[in-house]
Amino acid sequence: MSENLYGEEHRVEMLRLQKMMNNMNCGSRAVPLTMKDFQIQQALGKGSYGHVYRVRSVRDGKDYALKQIYMSSDKEGIPQSVLREITVMKHLARKAHPNVVGLKSVFHQVDNIKNVIKINMIMEKCDWDLFTFLRNIPRGIPEKQARYVSVQIVKGLDFLHSHNIIHRDLKPQNILVNRDQTVKLADFGLSKEYSNTTAFTTTVVTLWYRPPEVLLQSYYNSSVDMWSVGCIISEIYSREPLFAGRDEAQQLAEIFKKMGTPVGKEWPSESVISKDSFPTYPSKPLKQHNPYMSLDAYDFVQQCLRYDLGKRLSSRAALKHPFLNVKTLITKPRVLRTLNFNK
Ligand SMILES: Nc1ncnc2c1ncn2[C@@H]1O[C@H](COP(=O)(O)OP(=O)(O)OP(=O)(O)O)[C@@H](O)[C@H]1O
Ligand SMILES: [Mg+2]
């Protein structure tokens, strides 16, 4: 399917989308939902294609998050990333997981005068995203809480990976946190179903959380998400990004300066960029870049940040690492009642 759809191809695509969404009232088999069933309360966030709002259902009085995606129905066609997000969420909605944001319904509105199609996704509403949370908590995160948040991120990811889905855009803004400290992965806009034998070459992960194999335009697999997890867990402790490059070359330089320039086979063989383009930096202990982590956390993050994809921790193996050992997480950390900040 092409990125932009015109004429007959566009019409067929619209019918396909319509059919898909008419069938998409997750959980409830009753009368399909429309915008009349919701009152918009407050803006929660702005995405690449639309907006996210807190809405109240007039049917059950509960609050939900509404993600509205606007698309021109004649000029631009339907962006592939939007179709992908709906398909993935629809697939996952049937197999709810506590650490993946739930989807209640998807429906659309067509404005034939403005030639606009609006896709409405009704999701469970969370209190904050991890980016907002980390920048608003008054001091560093306690060890128990850091582990509790981290284990949920990895559990959500392991669920996605076990369903052959790579998230590919894991970052604090796409991880949602609730007052009771439950954590949910959101925004599958760039995720894609994959098979274990397939490798992709499209560059999609947000820069700071992007692994070297993607920046070097080499093959990658689900371990792309575990690199992002390593960066995010470091940020949970320090409340600042571990590698914050302004562009791709600078992002690679930031990684190599801290983790050492890849040696030998660590440099991806398919990479179009030569190793000689970068100085040879020695690897330094993570502690020098982030002094706030526990010993277990250092070891865990170090294993997420391996250049060799085969040696990088998988989501399944990560759950067995002492950092995420369930025995240390039996007591649920205190509920964040006192925190009161908006986005
Ligand atoms: N279910 C939700 N509950 C609370 N807030 C949410 C929810 N979903 C999204 N948000 C907020 O809205 C923001 C944007 O949502 P989302 O990431 O889904 O949009 P997006 O178009 O994919 O953005 P981008 O592509 O730029 O990452 C999130 O970072 C978060 O702050
Ligand atoms: Mg997002």
Side-chain angles (χ1 to χ4, degrees):
M1 189 173 65
S2 63
E3 204 59 51
N4 294 310
L5 304 161
Y6 297 99
E8 179 59 14
E9 211 182 338
H10 179 214
R11 200 185 63 78
V12 171
E13 193 50 46
M14 292 296 286
L15 284 173
R16 191 174 86 84
L17 183 70
Q18 204 155 342
K19 198 169 160 209
M20 185 165 86
M21 287 197 286
N22 289 344
N23 293 334
M24 187 58 206
N25 229 359
C26 318
S28 120
R29 296 280 158 265
V31 190
L33 296 170
T34 70
M35 268 320 285
K36 289 198 183 105
D37 295 302
F38 299 94
Q39 292 163 341
I40 294 187
Q41 306 278 314
Q42 179 202 348
L44 291 175
K46 210 174 165 186
S48 335
Y49 290 103
H51 296 90
V52 182
Y53 300 97
R54 176 165 65 85
V55 292
R56 185 153 297 161
S57 160
V58 295
R59 287 201 195 183
D60 64 14
K62 288 187 192 153
D63 281 356
Y64 294 94
L66 162 72
K67 183 167 176 175
Q68 284 194 321
I69 303 167
Y70 295 88
M71 284 175 293
S72 159
S73 61
D74 61 348
K75 286 195 201 89
E76 290 167 22
I78 302 161
Q80 239 183 332
S81 60
V82 173
L83 283 175
R84 219 185 276 155
E85 178 163 16
I86 295 167
T87 314
V88 170
M89 289 191 78
K90 181 182 165 183
H91 184 70
L92 291 182
R94 298 202 192 97
K95 319 178 176 205
H97 186 276
N99 303 120
V100 172
V101 76
L103 180 68
K104 182 179 164 67
S105 178
V106 182
F107 51 91
H108 71 290
Q109 296 158 282
V110 182
D111 185 332
N112 285 324
I113 298 165
K114 290 187 189 153
N115 281 332
V116 166
I117 178 165
K118 197 167 22 169
I119 296 175
N120 302 291
M121 300 168 76
I122 303 286
M123 300 174 277
E124 66 178 301
K125 187 207 149 286
C126 298
D127 292 321
W128 313 287
D129 61 50
L130 186 60
F131 178 90
T132 312
F133 176 77
L134 291 175
R135 276 149 191 81
N136 282 278
I137 50 175
R139 60 189 80 83
I141 196 162
E143 179 65 18
K144 201 181 238 180
Q145 198 179 344
R147 289 183 189 230
Y148 191 61
V149 169
S150 303
V151 76
Q152 294 180 79
I153 295 174
V154 178
K155 279 184 179 170
L157 192 60
D158 188 51
F159 172 77
L160 296 185
H161 287 180
S162 66
H163 285 88
N164 291 340
I165 290 160
I166 311 180
H167 189 292
R168 302 200 302 182
D169 194 25
L170 266 186
K171 55 182 175 179
Q173 291 89 335
N174 286 341
I175 297 174
L176 304 174
V177 185
N178 280 323
R179 241 164 237 286
D180 67 357
Q181 295 197 48
T182 48
V183 173
K184 311 220 173 213
L185 305 187
D187 193 3
F188 305 103
L190 293 167
S191 67
K192 188 172 161 65
E193 297 201 33
Y194 74 104
S195 80
N196 287 333
T197 51
T198 319
F200 300 103
T201 48
T202 30
T203 52
V204 285
V205 178
T206 310
L207 215 57
W208 294 352
Y209 307 91
R210 202 182 272 188
E213 67 271 17
V214 174
L215 294 161
L216 288 167
Q217 297 168 33
S218 183
Y219 292 112
Y220 66 87
N221 56 27
S222 60
S223 68
V224 65
D225 289 333
M226 287 308 293
W227 177 277
S228 311
V229 165
C231 299
I232 292 164
I233 291 176
S234 168
E235 190 166 332
I236 286 174
Y237 282 91
S238 65
R239 295 190 285 164
E240 57 185 30
L242 180 58
F243 311 119
R246 276 194 301 272
D247 54 42
E248 265 133 347
Q250 212 202 30
Q251 184 66 22
L252 279 166
E254 279 288 303
I255 295 170
F256 298 163
K257 268 185 215 160
K258 290 184 171 165
M259 308 306 293
T261 311
V263 288
K265 285 188 180 156
E266 284 178 346
W267 194 270
S269 55
E270 309 82 13
S271 171
V272 289
I273 302 160
S274 154
K275 189 173 179 301
D276 303 332
S277 327
F278 294 90
T280 308
Y281 298 107
S283 89
K284 290 183 192 151
L286 204 51
K287 201 175 172 61
Q288 283 188 17
H289 317 302
N290 179 350
Y292 307 105
M293 289 157 67
S294 61
L295 287 179
D296 280 347
Y298 282 124
D299 187 73
F300 184 89
V301 171
Q302 202 88 48
Q303 290 197 49
C304 293
L305 301 181
R306 293 256 162 88
Y307 291 135
D308 183 336
L309 310 196
K311 291 190 181 146
R312 200 175 289 163
L313 213 51
S314 69
S315 56
R316 187 54 54 90
L319 290 170
K320 297 199 183 102
H321 189 280
F323 176 58
L324 302 183
N325 189 332
V326 280
K327 288 197 193 93
T328 62
L329 299 165
I330 280 171
T331 332
K332 205 170 166 180
R334 69 192 162 83
V335 173
L336 302 171
R337 283 189 213 290
T338 49
L339 283 185
N340 195 14
F341 51 83
N342 282 321
K343 292 175 50 63

